[in-house]
Amino acid sequence: MELTLWTYEGPPHVGAMRIATSMEGVHYVLHAPQGDTYADLLFTMIERRDRRPPVTYTTFQARDLGGDTAELVKRSINDAVERFRPEALLVGESCTAELIQDQPGALAGGMDLGGIPVVSLELPAYSKKENWGAAETFYQLVRALLKPQLPPPGAAKPSPARWRQEGRRPRVNLLGPTLLGFRCRDDILEVSRLLGELGIDVTVVAPLGARPADLLRIPSADANVCLYPEVAGPVCNWLERSFGMPVVRSMPIGIGATGDFLREVTNLLEMDSEVIAAATNAEAEQRSRLPWYSRSVDSTYLTGKRVFIFGDATHAIAAARIASRELGFQVVGLGSYSREQARDVRAAAKELDLDALITDDYLVVEKAMAEAAPELVLGTQMERHSAKRLGIPCAVISTPLHVQDVPARTSPQMGWEGANVIFDTWVHPLMMGLEEHLITMFRHDFEFTEGHRSHLGGAPDGAGIEASGTKQPTTGAAASTETTTATAVASAAAGATAAPAAALAENGLHWSPDGEAELAKIPFFVRGKARRNAESFARAQGLHRIDAETLYEAKAHFSR
Amino acid sequence: MGAVAPWAPAVTAGGQESSSHLPPVLRESGQREVFCGLTSIVWLHRRMPDAFFLVVGSRTCAHLVQSAAGVMIFAEPRFGTAILGERDLAGLADANEELDRLVRDLLERRPEIRTLFLVGSCPSEVIKLDLGKAAERLNGQLAGRVRVLNYSGSGIETTFTQGEDQALLAMQPLMPASDEPQLLIVGTLADPVEDRLIDLFGRMGIERVRSLPPRRSTELPPVGRGTKVLLAQPFLSATARALQARGAELIPAPYPFGVEGSRLWMRAAATACGLAPAAIEAVLAPLVERGRRAVAPHREVLAGKRLVLMPDSQLELSLARFLHQECGMELVEVGTPYLDRQLLAEELALLPAGTAITEGQDVERQLERVRAARPDLVVCGLGLANPLEAEGIATKWSIELVFSPIHGCDQAGDLAELFSRPLRRRNLLQFS
């Protein structure tokens, strides 16, 4: 058993639902108890879809368990096929159905369903999770549909430059975007536009918006762009092995990464040198506003801001590069819940002299965040909870998400426009430069108090400490009491337990009153780090008491 | 398609329904588009902030609760899930030891918790994990600090609001015994509504009015022979019966939705407590008059409109009665996930003759009926609301009714407004 307050991913059958619902003409029969239809809301409410997901649930109840649940499955499959006439059928189980072992996939295989392709899904709900379920479903579906097209073993690989001989523009598939993915809707538009500008066509976008018939056209492209490895990794690998289709693996999130991506695509397709040159960094800088915004003097105060990053592997790695190289932040924590891509996250962390945090335990993430004492958290919907608890500004960069991260406006993460969106989103929750200076200089104001960020429009009594960029309908009552006492904020920011008197630190260290007073003068967003530094400095020096002088000693010691 | 007028055959199949004045009931089975009882945690955690709800289940259960409540940002979570892993299923890990360890970890983080609910789920029920025993054992270990209770919110056993019924049932043995006379209002009420109703009963002359669930999980009301139980919610079958078994008397009444329902509900309680009709009417008359005035503008929007309610919370019959009787709506179909004929006898008597009631659901067939009937308003869950709107059918999402202060004469206008709002909105929006 594992205690979970918040889960980063749903069960694997939700991943399968994401594939079915993203596509057209695919239906999913899910053996599941009454109540599991809650998952429909993810699509009708969070994604705000105007149609019911193409999912038929058996919704068995306790009284059915005494009867023939297998018969119920068969009836549901029959009814679904007759009613919805899908072009392909997925059949699988949810976690409870997995326990009663009706083998719905095998049952469907034995039924006469008019010859439509049936994919039986084996998704172990007690060991795997949502992204794995999506990847497995997508892989099984593509494999089932493309089997008849498989080239004989030993057949020559198609050349990625065959477009030239065939006298047409090069073309690629965009694989991986789904509903409930992070900003997939607008990423596709942005990436298609980037490629179009270089003369590259997009053959199939899948699963989002594709029909089974579209999946049959996948091999006609010159290469696959693996846009979301969490979902499309296994499919792209299989297409590479079986059809010899090369895969573009760099992720165009951020300026540098978008340049890398365009160079990888154009090189791989063996395009002309002037096309490849169009993808240089110098060119890139002209296409997005992020480089100039980040260079402009208003952004100088962003230098060295301590940032903690957590999310799926793709977005966490991309965010780390943008934060450290394109915004000038200091990345003080990097992690992911995507175990499948753990190696990549570790490599990215190593480049930043960090140890990657690979976990799906929300409490472990919260603890690491508290210890790193960042000034900004870039995470998921879950990190907003911890950031609120710790009083740290936060922006969402990855799933899991909630309804406010499926916005009406165009808001990609990828490409040039994606970088613009990222600049605005990440900087917004931070205190603005002038306010930051003035709060540091004058600490007795009746309106602009500790932790207050007036550009977020909160009330002066501390509603401004609201830890997210988006305004939340919370009362902020707990937060407001924190803002009034400097020590409480300090201890919260330092991740200490909410001991009322912060005078006694861990390991028998003692803060003198003048030490406490001096600490309180440090701006709230770096105070946690200052406390930590002072304490580790005192321990290293064998001191038991921390006074104002110790604090200044530590400051000099750690200054760079 | 045979689905347009499907009620007649089921009546005879159902047996004795036709012998009474009760309307015919169609019993349907098929795919059900409803929540499981775990969802009750979403409002119970606010009603009793000193309680923690620990679901023992799968990642699906965790995902359900967080999808429902996770749009709120919690500095301190009030609920969590003990997710079963393969080791638990294979019997490699002792489930009881695992649970004890988890509860210790949890209480270390949240020492202020006073009542811990172990909430059963479909997986825990299917593998027959004995959470009752576990609660007993943990109670022994944590005596004096935390009380541990157990109920099932599984989808195979409970639908949506039945989770509250089960939670209240679980609290029932901890209620002290006392035969002192009191009026006990049972079922979650919004705080201001609760205050208001207690005040009104006080003005009539009822001295002791208590509520279940209480605002603090440790302050449970007593129960005994002097207790008169007034149900504020129609989904409390098991709780009502358990209270009766302890000597309490159940006051038969319709439910306090709308002016009429609230009036009859309060009058039934006051009469059962032995008050004189004059004292009762003196308090009720101005409330009723004012309530009718508040409903009137919404009646203008709603009168003559055709209404379908899909099954969700068991509030459907009471709401249908209010919307028909006081707002002039025409009832096309009233669905309920479960019909307790005893608890709803008073409501059934107030519904117009021939009201088409369905118990249970076959969602595809029900949607066919909706499309064929083209009602003016459909009360349904969020899984269906946007898709129906996209088909041009106005909807009112039903879950909101469990989260809004809708009980009592003073709330009748607000309740009507919840239904008139989507219709007014459709008239308001124009993009040309």
Side-chain angles (χ1 to χ4, degrees):
Chain A
M1 259 180 235
E2 173 198 347
L3 175 62
T4 307
L5 297 177
W6 301 105
T7 170
Y8 284 99
E9 294 181 69
H13 74 257
V14 169
M17 277 187 76
R18 281 170 57 189
I19 303 297
T21 311
S22 298
M23 292 184 64
E24 310 276 341
V26 175
H27 200 84
Y28 182 18
V29 175
L30 179 60
H31 195 20
Q34 160 176 277
D36 280 4
T37 50
Y38 82 88
D40 284 0
L41 273 69
L42 304 171
F43 300 95
T44 58
M45 297 308 292
I46 295 179
E47 281 282 357
R48 234 182 274 257
R49 296 272 289 181
D50 61 359
R51 273 166 281 176
R52 294 174 65 211
V55 182
T56 295
Y57 304 79
T58 57
T59 56
F60 59 87
Q61 292 174 269
R63 60 165 181 261
D64 298 316
L65 293 177
D68 193 349
T69 45
E71 198 47 49
L72 178 62
V73 174
K74 282 162 89 172
R75 199 163 60 233
S76 301
I77 293 173
N78 250 333
D79 288 354
V81 169
E82 197 169 307
R83 184 179 296 270
F84 299 105
R85 308 240 164 246
E87 293 155 41
L89 186 72
L90 304 174
V91 180
E93 300 159 302
S94 80
C95 52
T96 306
E98 189 182 329
L99 297 173
I100 56 178
Q101 308 245 329
D102 282 322
Q103 311 293 345
L107 290 176
M111 295 170 66
D112 174 19
L113 299 173
I116 57 164
V118 176
V119 179
S120 164
L121 297 173
E122 295 286 341
L123 308 175
Y126 296 90
S127 56
K128 301 291 188 188
K129 297 195 281 279
E130 178 177 334
N131 281 335
W132 187 91
E136 172 71 9
T137 303
F138 190 35
Y139 164 65
Q140 294 294 352
L141 182 60
V142 169
R143 211 176 73 126
L145 291 169
L146 287 184
K147 238 180 189 165
Q149 291 188 39
L150 272 176
K157 283 187 177 184
S159 160
R162 68 177 190 231
W163 55 275
R164 217 185 291 275
Q165 289 95 56
E166 293 173 12
R168 57 169 171 84
R169 282 156 60 110
R171 58 193 181 208
V172 297
N173 302 312
L174 304 184
L175 300 184
T178 57
L179 296 176
L180 293 179
F182 198 72
R183 310 288 168 86
C184 290
R185 179 195 71 195
D186 299 332
D187 281 349
I188 301 171
L189 295 176
E190 183 66 15
V191 172
S192 301
R193 191 161 65 105
L194 287 178
L195 294 171
E197 284 169 0
L198 296 175
I200 302 168
D201 290 335
V202 172
T203 312
V204 176
V205 178
L208 192 52
R211 311 190 75 91
D214 295 320
L215 300 186
L216 295 176
R217 295 189 292 117
I218 284 179
S220 70
D222 301 310
N224 289 317
V225 174
C226 184
L227 266 195
Y228 301 92
E230 280 84 355
V231 172
V235 163
C236 289
N237 293 342
W238 182 77
L239 290 166
E240 191 169 32
R241 277 199 314 275
S242 312
F243 287 83
M245 298 183 76
V247 183
V248 178
R249 294 189 190 272
S250 53
M251 209 56 53
I253 304 177
I255 300 299
T258 300
D260 290 352
F261 169 80
L262 293 177
R263 274 190 299 280
E264 189 184 344
V265 179
T266 47
N267 278 321
L268 194 146
L269 294 170
E270 298 171 27
M271 299 182 75
D272 300 334
S273 52
E274 60 267 30
V275 177
I276 297 175
T280 60
N281 282 350
E283 171 76 10
E285 285 206 17
Q286 304 305 311
R287 310 300 304 275
S288 172
R289 290 183 198 96
L290 181 141
W292 170 241
Y293 270 51
S294 188
R295 273 206 186 94
S296 68
V297 294
D298 197 46
S299 299
T300 312
Y301 85 111
L302 299 177
T303 314
K305 283 263 183 222
R306 303 165 52 79
V307 54
F308 181 91
I309 299 171
F310 195 85
D312 67 20
T314 301
H315 290 91
I317 294 170
R321 176 170 178 182
I322 298 168
S324 60
R325 286 156 69 169
E326 297 173 10
L327 293 175
F329 293 154
Q330 185 195 353
V331 180
V332 295
L334 175 61
S336 173
Y337 58 83
S338 314
R339 286 186 193 278
E340 289 85 356
Q341 282 87 27
R343 189 182 304 180
D344 300 341
V345 183
R346 289 209 174 89
K350 200 154 184 231
E351 275 181 33
L352 296 163
D353 274 333
L354 294 167
D355 283 326
L357 178 68
I358 306 297
T359 182
D360 55 4
D361 185 338
Y362 159 80
L363 293 176
V364 171
V365 178
E366 185 184 83
K367 189 154 171 277
M369 188 192 298
E371 275 164 12
E375 294 161 72
L376 175 68
V377 172
L378 301 174
T380 73
Q381 174 74 10
M382 304 303 129
E383 275 61 64
R384 300 175 69 184
H385 299 289
S386 326
K388 178 181 180 186
R389 179 179 161 98
L390 300 172
I392 306 169
C394 179
V396 175
I397 60 161
S398 156
T399 53
L401 50 75
H402 231 298
V403 63
Q404 62 270 52
D405 283 302
V406 188
R409 66 184 180 276
T410 306
S411 32
Q413 299 289 288
M414 293 184 173
W416 312 132
E417 184 59 22
N420 296 340
V421 171
I422 285 173
F423 182 89
D424 292 344
T425 314
W426 295 9
V427 173
H428 177 77
L430 294 169
M431 179 179 282
M432 308 296 273
L434 175 64
E435 184 155 83
E436 182 176 313
H437 284 298
L438 290 175
I439 287 253
T440 313
M441 286 184 73
F442 310 111
R443 326 199 46 107
H444 59 278
D445 199 275
F446 59 87
E447 180 183 353
F448 300 93
T449 49
E450 275 281 317
H452 180 51
R453 298 191 292 279
S454 61
H455 70 292
L456 299 181
D461 68 347
I465 203 166
E466 176 63 65
S468 81
T470 320
K471 220 163 136 37
Q472 289 301 309
T474 49
T475 59
S480 64
T481 51
E482 276 182 348
T483 38
T484 48
T485 50
T487 50
V489 172
S491 65
T497 49
L504 192 67
E506 290 160 52
N507 299 350
L509 282 171
H510 177 81
W511 282 81
S512 72
D514 74 316
E516 279 289 339
E518 208 58 40
L519 183 68
K521 292 177 192 164
I522 295 169
F524 70 95
F525 44 85
V526 286
R527 195 179 299 143
K529 187 65 193 168
R531 172 184 285 278
R532 263 176 196 280
N533 281 350
E535 288 175 1
S536 74
F537 176 77
R539 268 195 294 277
Q541 303 289 314
L543 301 171
H544 296 290
R545 188 167 182 281
I546 305 174
D547 57 15
E549 291 309 313
T550 325
L551 201 59
Y552 280 109
E553 287 286 341
K555 180 175 153 77
H557 178 79
F558 286 106
S559 82
R560 283 158 293 146
Chain B
M1 80 158 55
V4 180
W7 291 284
V11 179
T12 42
Q16 60 268 60
E17 271 97 315
S18 47
S19 64
S20 73
H21 69 284
L22 293 179
V25 173
L26 169 70
R27 289 214 183 79
E28 267 199 321
S29 63
Q31 180 179 323
R32 292 166 69 108
E33 185 88 12
V34 290
F35 281 125
C36 66
L38 294 182
T39 325
S40 58
I41 295 170
V42 175
W43 66 91
L44 286 176
H45 84 267
R46 287 292 177 90
R47 175 67 189 181
M48 296 178 286
D50 61 341
F52 191 96
F53 294 82
L54 180 64
V55 179
V56 181
S58 65
R59 193 167 298 283
T60 308
C61 309
H63 196 234
L64 157 80
V65 180
Q66 107 179 17
S67 303
V71 74
M72 299 179 280
I73 308 294
F74 289 85
E76 287 300 346
R78 319 261 185 93
F79 42 79
T81 309
I83 295 186
L84 297 164
E86 285 190 317
R87 285 166 47 79
D88 303 295
L89 298 181
L92 292 175
D94 183 322
N96 292 315
E97 279 171 25
E98 287 285 292
L99 199 56
D100 290 4
R101 175 178 62 81
L102 247 62
V103 168
R104 265 198 311 279
D105 289 355
L106 175 67
L107 293 177
E108 198 175 299
R109 183 190 157 96
R110 300 290 313 279
E112 73 285 8
I113 294 170
R114 288 294 156 261
T115 305
L116 175 67
F117 287 95
L118 298 179
V119 190
S121 66
C122 300
S124 73
E125 297 294 332
V126 167
I127 64 170
K128 305 266 183 249
L129 196 58
D130 194 341
L131 294 180
K133 274 255 162 55
E136 226 170 80
R137 185 183 62 250
L138 285 162
N139 258 324
Q141 293 173 15
L142 302 166
R145 280 212 298 144
V146 180
R147 302 178 313 172
V148 185
L149 296 174
N150 153 248
Y151 73 91
S152 171
S154 76
I156 56 178
E157 294 160 305
T158 59
T159 305
F160 195 31
T161 47
Q162 284 176 327
E164 176 174 329
D165 189 27
Q166 294 299 314
L168 299 190
L169 180 67
M171 299 179 85
Q172 197 264 143
L174 296 179
M175 292 168 70
S178 162
D179 287 343
E180 64 167 358
Q182 64 164 344
L183 178 64
L184 184 62
I185 302 177
V186 183
T188 295
L189 290 173
D191 291 350
V193 170
E194 180 189 25
D195 294 341
R196 175 74 178 154
L197 290 172
I198 290 175
D199 177 58
L200 290 173
F201 280 129
R203 277 201 246 160
M204 288 178 181
I206 306 176
E207 278 170 27
R208 227 172 269 111
V209 185
R210 294 195 174 99
S211 309
L212 180 72
R215 292 184 196 186
R216 293 189 53 80
S217 65
T218 47
E219 292 166 5
L220 283 168
V223 61
R225 295 197 180 283
T227 302
K228 308 232 185 281
V229 169
L230 184 60
L231 293 183
Q233 303 278 18
F235 46 72
L236 298 170
S237 305
T239 305
R241 265 144 220 151
L243 292 169
Q244 281 176 301
R246 292 190 59 178
E249 182 197 328
L250 188 62
I251 303 170
Y255 293 86
F257 303 114
V259 176
E260 288 308 309
S262 304
R263 181 175 69 88
L264 294 171
W265 184 77
M266 292 186 75
R267 195 168 68 185
T271 310
C273 291
L275 299 189
I280 303 172
E281 286 313 311
V283 172
L284 283 181
L287 293 180
V288 167
E289 194 274 327
R290 196 170 54 200
R292 284 182 185 150
R293 258 190 290 140
V295 172
H298 304 293
R299 189 186 167 97
E300 276 175 33
V301 178
L302 295 172
K305 297 287 193 304
R306 301 167 64 249
L307 175 74
V308 169
L309 297 107
M310 310 272 280
D312 187 53
S313 61
Q314 299 182 50
L315 297 181
E316 294 81 9
L317 265 67
S318 308
L319 295 171
R321 181 259 305 154
F322 161 69
L323 290 167
H324 172 72
Q325 192 178 19
E326 295 178 46
C327 302
M329 295 190 84
E330 262 178 59
L331 306 178
V332 177
E333 179 177 345
V334 182
T336 178
Y338 174 69
L339 179 58
D340 184 323
R341 289 173 176 281
Q342 191 194 340
L343 293 193
L344 283 156
E346 311 281 320
E347 291 287 13
L348 286 166
L350 291 172
L351 280 170
T355 302
I357 299 176
T358 40
E359 181 183 8
Q361 187 175 35
D362 179 340
V363 70
E364 302 293 353
R365 295 191 57 196
Q366 195 165 37
L367 285 171
E368 276 175 9
R369 292 198 295 274
V370 165
R371 289 181 186 122
R374 300 290 306 178
D376 298 297
L377 188 67
V378 176
V379 179
C380 63
L382 289 172
L384 301 172
N386 272 335
L388 282 174
E389 290 281 350
E391 291 182 32
I393 296 175
T395 60
K396 162 74 214 118
W397 55 282
S398 50
I399 301 133
E400 196 175 14
L401 298 158
V402 180
F403 296 143
S404 304
I406 57 172
H407 297 76
C409 291
D410 300 307
Q411 265 59 245
D414 295 350
L415 179 58
E417 207 268 343
L418 286 177
F419 297 92
S420 67
R421 192 188 299 162
L423 295 177
R424 276 197 299 125
R425 182 170 183 78
R426 286 171 81 84
N427 288 335
L428 206 62
L429 296 183
Q430 45 187 333
F431 303 100
S432 53

